[in-house]
């Protein structure tokens, strides 16, 4: 009988998968055979991570509109570039990483969506020569091509969900545009991807000299071993008593990929950045905790609330998972952060309490946001996001190949929140960026928010013993506007609305948001 089995699977058309070959998902034999017929070179069928499930839902919910989760990294390169070797390097990365060869589907009759990995996936590669144009003309046309490329949707069921456009701008001058769907990679993965790309390029398009891959599958398997009921209990407890959403924009605000966003960026300054790092280190705090507390004060002032919930991007890479630091995939998860702002509490007490609460939830950040909000109710609903990006590497790292230089880089990405704050600590500074929905928050307002955020951080490091009621959330310029220009003026407005139009945007360039009472209650 054994000899007969060997002869059968060795012959043409023999063999095949059974449900036991895909133990992380619930498939019957008929479904397995359907997938084998539909996907040539089927390698694996895997579950999806919580955020992957959310991104897949958004993509399938609106299949005609622009996909907000398509991102694009644009790198300008100068020097002798071997396009053939570069293309071969990208293809070698696809061959090396199963996570880059995955397609995502919601199978009929299967409760949970799955990702399907194929063996042979060809990289979409496109070259465009604009070197015959003037420098300004080539730049403009390259920009147009990049925008057009990012606007082109991916079919999430058909891998790969990454494509490359290489534009020749002039002699020894190129722009490489990497367009990908966020469902396959997170920000931590980008530096790893680029380091491997340039290593492969230096080797003539080969990844043979790179270390063995730790597959993303290991993380998905780790997810299946987690105690979901314990995570549910932890989130119920953390959000107990929070019974209203924390919103800074009107309830009917709609965000899509075509919605105009603005971006305000600044550096905190080397002196403040050093003071913050020293402040956190000497008190046994993470810098992320300090930043979250300051953002909570700003959100609380805008929303007119002392019990604040906002979203935070959790790295999601479990420290106990071997090789997690070099895996390629989507690990991050958006989870709620709850901060109770008691005016009588000191800043030090708030920071200690916030860090303890976040530490208690650290092992439960794998639970999906949709499930957390279902468990906790409206109190877990928010419309602001904060991301503390402290990745071990730089996706814009210089190519190591002799003679080839990286002269410029840009990352195009979107958010589905009206306000999204990104804080990125560097070696000697703190980069701060605020993406804002222009229909609600104009540029002056957004800049005011960032400046107030920095102002709060400055006060925190000066005196952590001050009560929250003594922390000034309004800058000197805004205070002079309110006290000097608005003095004696009687207005009746609700949080998140203006006296006339119901939109915070109509408050004009003063940058003062929310109600007059909300501006000062409990803070100044």
């Amino acid at each position: 009988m054994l000899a007969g089995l060997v002869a059968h699977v060795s012959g043409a058309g023999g063999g095949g998968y059974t449900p036991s070959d895909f133990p992380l998902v619930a498939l019957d034999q008929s479904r397995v055979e359907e997938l084998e017929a539909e996907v040539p070179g089927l390698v694996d069928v895997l579950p999806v991570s919580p955020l992957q499930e959310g991104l897949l839902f958004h993509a399938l919910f609106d299949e005609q509109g622009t996909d907000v989760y398509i991102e694009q990294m644009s790198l300008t390169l100068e020097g002798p570039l071997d396009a053939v070797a570069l293309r071969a390097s990208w293809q070698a990365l696809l061959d090396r990483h199963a996570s880059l060869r995955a397609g995502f589907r919601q199978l009929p009759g299967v409760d949970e969506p799955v990702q399907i990995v194929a063996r042979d996936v060809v990289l979409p590669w496109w070259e465009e020569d604009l070197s015959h144009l003037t420098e300004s003309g080539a730049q403009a046309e390259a920009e147009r091509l990049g925008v057009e490329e990012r606007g082109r949707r991916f079919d999430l069921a058909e891998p790969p969900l990454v494509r490359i456009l290489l534009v020749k701008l002039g002699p020894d001058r190129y722009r490489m545009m990497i367009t990908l769907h966020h469902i396959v990679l997170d920000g931590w993965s980008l530096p790893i991807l680029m380091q491997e790309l340039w290593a492969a390029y230096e080797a003539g398009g080969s990844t043979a000299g790179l270390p063995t891959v730790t597959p993303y599958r290991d993380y998905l398997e780790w997810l299946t071993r987690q105690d979901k009921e314990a995570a549910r209990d932890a989130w119920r407890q953390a959000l107990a008593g929070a019974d209203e959403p924390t919103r800074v924009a009107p309830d009917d605000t709609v965000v899509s990929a075509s919605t105009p966003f603005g971006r305000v960026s600044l550096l905190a300054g080397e002196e403040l950045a050093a003071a913050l790092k020293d402040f956190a280190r000497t008190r046994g705090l993470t810098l992320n905790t300090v930043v979250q507390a300051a953002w909570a004060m700003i959100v609380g002032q805008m929303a007119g609330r002392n019990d604040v919930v906002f979203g935070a991007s959790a790295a999601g890479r479990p420290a106990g998972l071997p090789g997690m630091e070099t895996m390629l995939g989507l690990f991050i998860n958006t989870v709620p952060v709850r901060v109770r702002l008691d005016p009588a509490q000191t800043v030090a007490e708030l920071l200690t309490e916030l860090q303890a609460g976040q530490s208690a939830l650290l092992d439960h950040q794998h639970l999906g946001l949709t499930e957390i909000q279902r468990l906790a109710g409206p109190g877990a609903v928010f419309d602001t996001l904060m991301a503390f990006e402290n990745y071990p590497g730089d996706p814009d790292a210089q190519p190591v190949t002799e003679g080839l230089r990286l002269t410029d880089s840009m990352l195009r990405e979107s958010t589905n929140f009206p306000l999204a704050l990104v804080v990125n600590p560097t070696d000697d500074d703190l980069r701060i960026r605020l993406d804002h929905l222009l229909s609600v928050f104009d540029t002056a307002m957004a800049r005011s928010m960032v400046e107030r955020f920095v102002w709060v951080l400055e006060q925190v490091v000066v005196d952590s013993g001050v009560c929250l009621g003594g922390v000034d959330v309004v800058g000197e310029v805004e205070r002079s506007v309110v006290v000097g220009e608005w003095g004696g003026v009687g207005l009746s407005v609700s949080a998140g609305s203006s006296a006339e139009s119901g939109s915070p945007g109509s408050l004009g360039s003063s940058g003062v948001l929310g109600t007059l009472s909300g501006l000062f209650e409990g803070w100044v």
Side-chain angles (χ1 to χ4, degrees):
M1 290 179 64
L2 286 174
L5 286 172
V6 171
H8 171 69
V9 299
S10 300
Y17 291 111
T18 67
S20 63
D21 292 306
F22 310 122
L24 302 184
V25 293
L27 301 176
D28 58 24
Q29 184 61 40
S30 63
R31 184 68 65 199
V32 169
E33 292 173 1
E34 288 175 9
L35 288 176
E36 283 186 291
E38 294 173 11
V39 183
L42 177 68
V43 172
D44 208 349
V45 184
L46 301 167
V48 296
S49 71
L51 187 55
Q52 283 179 326
E53 183 173 5
L55 300 190
L56 179 62
F57 170 80
H58 280 288
L60 297 178
F61 180 76
D62 181 12
E63 295 185 286
Q64 303 305 315
T66 304
D67 193 332
V68 69
Y69 295 107
I70 293 178
E71 302 179 347
Q72 186 178 80
M73 184 189 300
S74 179
L75 306 179
T76 302
L77 302 162
E78 290 189 1
L81 186 144
D82 185 340
V84 174
L86 185 60
R87 181 176 185 175
S89 300
W90 275 110
Q91 183 62 57
L93 290 183
L94 260 66
D95 297 340
R96 171 177 165 83
H97 292 282
S99 56
L100 298 178
R101 305 194 309 274
F104 297 79
R105 302 187 186 189
Q106 181 67 67
L107 299 176
V110 179
D111 293 337
E112 305 294 336
V114 298
Q115 49 186 307
I116 300 169
V117 181
R119 177 178 295 105
D120 300 315
V121 173
V122 178
L123 171 78
W125 174 273
W126 176 27
E127 292 184 41
E128 191 76 27
D129 189 349
L130 305 178
S131 59
H132 61 284
L133 301 177
T134 63
E135 181 177 349
S136 60
Q139 293 285 0
E141 179 61 10
E143 180 70 15
R144 187 194 68 79
L145 290 172
V147 171
E148 182 181 88
E149 182 71 353
R150 187 176 176 228
R152 195 157 56 91
R153 291 180 67 101
F154 285 99
D155 179 353
L156 296 192
E158 297 297 328
L161 303 181
V162 57
R163 52 182 181 251
I164 309 298
L165 167 60
L166 182 65
V167 178
K168 185 175 183 178
L169 300 172
D172 288 342
R173 184 171 172 81
Y174 300 83
R175 184 176 298 178
M176 179 172 63
M177 301 184 201
I178 308 155
T179 305
L180 58 88
H181 200 286
H182 192 26
I183 200 169
V184 294
L185 289 176
D186 57 21
W188 184 307
S189 299
L190 284 178
I192 303 168
L193 180 71
M194 299 311 297
Q195 289 163 9
E196 290 195 357
L197 174 71
W198 296 122
Y201 178 80
E202 192 174 37
S206 171
T207 58
L210 293 176
T212 303
V213 170
T214 304
Y216 184 59
R217 187 185 198 280
D218 289 3
Y219 167 68
L220 298 173
E221 187 176 9
W222 175 89
L223 277 177
T224 66
R225 300 195 300 267
Q226 302 314 296
D227 188 339
K228 283 196 172 183
E229 198 52 50
R232 295 184 184 107
D233 290 342
W235 283 109
R236 284 193 195 97
Q237 182 177 347
L239 295 164
D243 51 8
E244 295 181 10
T246 301
R247 298 187 187 277
V248 299
D251 291 350
D252 59 353
T253 300
V254 177
V255 181
S256 69
S258 58
T259 309
F261 268 79
R263 174 170 293 180
V264 173
S265 302
L266 60 77
L267 293 172
E270 294 183 12
E271 185 177 349
L272 176 57
L276 283 167
K277 292 174 183 177
D278 184 64
F279 175 87
R281 183 177 59 254
T282 57
R283 288 161 179 79
L285 302 168
T286 65
L287 185 54
N288 186 27
T289 295
V290 181
V291 168
Q292 285 186 344
W295 181 238
M297 295 182 204
I298 301 300
V299 173
Q301 177 261 316
M302 290 190 292
R305 292 179 56 82
N306 285 346
D307 193 349
V308 173
V309 177
F310 58 86
S313 293
R317 292 181 182 246
L321 182 62
M324 66 86 188
E325 66 280 357
T326 59
M327 290 184 190
L328 289 189
L330 185 68
F331 295 82
I332 63 168
N333 195 20
T334 300
V335 295
V337 175
R338 183 185 187 184
V339 186
R340 297 177 180 87
L341 302 169
D342 180 357
Q345 187 181 36
T346 67
V347 169
E349 290 169 340
L350 170 66
L351 292 170
T352 300
E353 181 181 286
L354 177 57
Q355 178 143 316
Q358 292 299 292
S359 296
L361 291 169
L362 199 58
D363 291 336
H364 309 295
Q365 291 180 337
H366 56 83
L367 205 63
L369 179 59
T370 300
E371 185 166 5
I372 293 173
Q373 292 177 329
R374 180 181 59 79
L375 293 168
V381 175
F382 48 84
D383 64 357
T384 63
L385 179 73
M386 200 211 87
F388 187 81
E389 296 185 345
N390 194 19
Y391 305 139
D394 184 354
D396 302 336
Q398 284 273 22
V400 296
T401 304
E402 183 179 353
L404 189 62
R405 297 184 302 115
L406 175 67
T407 60
D408 189 29
S409 64
M410 178 176 61
L411 181 64
R412 291 188 175 101
E413 55 184 345
S414 304
T415 177
N416 61 339
F417 292 91
L419 283 180
L421 181 77
V422 179
V423 178
N424 174 226
T426 66
D427 290 340
D428 53 7
D429 214 323
L430 204 65
R431 294 176 186 164
I432 302 169
R433 187 187 88 213
L434 183 65
D435 292 341
H436 56 100
L437 185 63
L438 285 169
S439 63
V440 179
F441 308 104
D442 64 27
T443 302
M445 290 178 177
R447 181 162 295 280
S448 167
M449 290 178 222
V450 176
E451 290 172 349
R452 279 183 279 147
F453 172 68
V454 173
W455 171 230
V456 170
L457 289 174
E458 290 174 346
Q459 295 173 78
V460 166
V461 297
V462 168
D463 183 9
S464 64
V466 67
C467 291
L468 297 184
V471 177
D472 191 352
V473 187
V474 182
E476 290 300 320
V477 174
E478 292 170 327
R479 179 180 294 281
S480 67
V481 170
V482 174
V483 176
E485 299 179 21
W486 294 7
V489 178
L491 295 176
S492 176
V493 293
S494 60
S497 65
S498 74
E500 295 180 0
S501 69
S503 167
S506 64
L507 288 175
S509 62
S510 66
V512 181
L513 305 176
T515 67
L516 290 179
S517 60
L519 272 172
F520 297 100
E521 180 181 0
W523 304 115
V524 292

